[in-house]
Amino acid sequence: MGRYRPPVARSAPYITPEGARALREELHQLWKVERPVVTAAVHEAAKNGDRSENGDYIYGKKRLREIDRRVRYLSKRLDELTVVDRQPEDRDRIYFGAWVTLEDVHGNQHCFRLVGADEIDPAQHKISIDSPLGRQLLGKRLDDEISMAIKGATALCLISAVSYSTKSTSPTE
């Protein structure tokens, strides 16, 4: 058996201004700050002679490959992304960048922001528009019902709030 991996579906090429800024900062950090430090460490380790048993050299080269791979990915990805910095005209519908509050039958509220694949962060309640829930929410209106899987069970949820604020916290906080 080879190393074949089936092609992965392309994610939506959208990103928020905050997400684009974070990717550019990561690219700058890797290329201008971290890579020169690791390169200097590898250069010093190479001076020590036998590279086959030199841990600093081996792990430094490995880290350089990781940095270069991420820099290459970020450079290509930033070129193909579209920064969505305008709010939609119909703010009652759910589109990219919206904060959405769902209320289940027990009155529990679940708040999410629909973002691009490069910005997913469950701790900050950011989900991808390519996720099953994200795709289900796109185009829905305030007070529409959707079915959502919560802890292994399917539950009906009501869309109780839609907001397009640009602040980094959900509208319920």
Side-chain angles (χ1 to χ4, degrees), residues 19-142:
R21 190 175 321 106
L23 289 183
R24 277 191 226 97
E25 288 172 2
E26 180 184 359
L27 179 62
H28 180 268
Q29 172 70 22
L30 287 172
W31 188 249
K32 297 290 185 183
V33 178
E34 196 168 332
R35 192 175 193 286
V37 170
V38 175
T39 303
V42 168
H43 177 72
E44 289 301 316
K47 290 180 181 178
N48 293 336
D50 186 12
R51 296 177 184 168
S52 65
E53 295 180 7
N54 188 335
D56 290 339
Y57 180 81
I58 292 169
Y59 294 118
K61 292 292 280 187
K62 179 181 177 188
R63 181 65 186 140
L64 276 177
R65 285 191 300 273
E66 292 168 355
I67 290 171
D68 290 344
R69 186 178 322 120
R70 184 68 179 165
V71 164
R72 196 169 30 257
Y73 171 78
L74 289 173
S75 298
K76 287 181 180 181
R77 188 69 177 158
L78 282 168
D79 287 342
E80 66 187 26
L81 287 173
T82 302
V83 177
V84 178
D85 56 356
R86 291 188 348 229
Q87 294 184 0
E89 291 181 23
D90 183 4
R91 292 192 184 109
D92 288 338
R93 280 194 181 269
I94 299 170
Y95 298 108
F96 180 84
W99 281 102
V100 180
T101 303
L102 302 175
E103 189 172 331
D104 64 17
V105 293
H106 304 293
N108 300 323
Q109 291 190 343
H110 309 277
C111 189
F112 305 101
R113 184 172 190 196
L114 295 179
V115 295
D118 299 292
E119 302 176 84
I120 299 169
D121 187 357
Q124 293 182 355
H125 306 285
K126 293 180 179 181
I127 63 169
S128 171
I129 61 172
D130 298 323
S131 69
L133 178 59
R135 285 192 308 251
Q136 190 176 5
L137 287 171
L138 281 176
K140 298 286 189 202
R141 291 185 172 277
L142 189 63

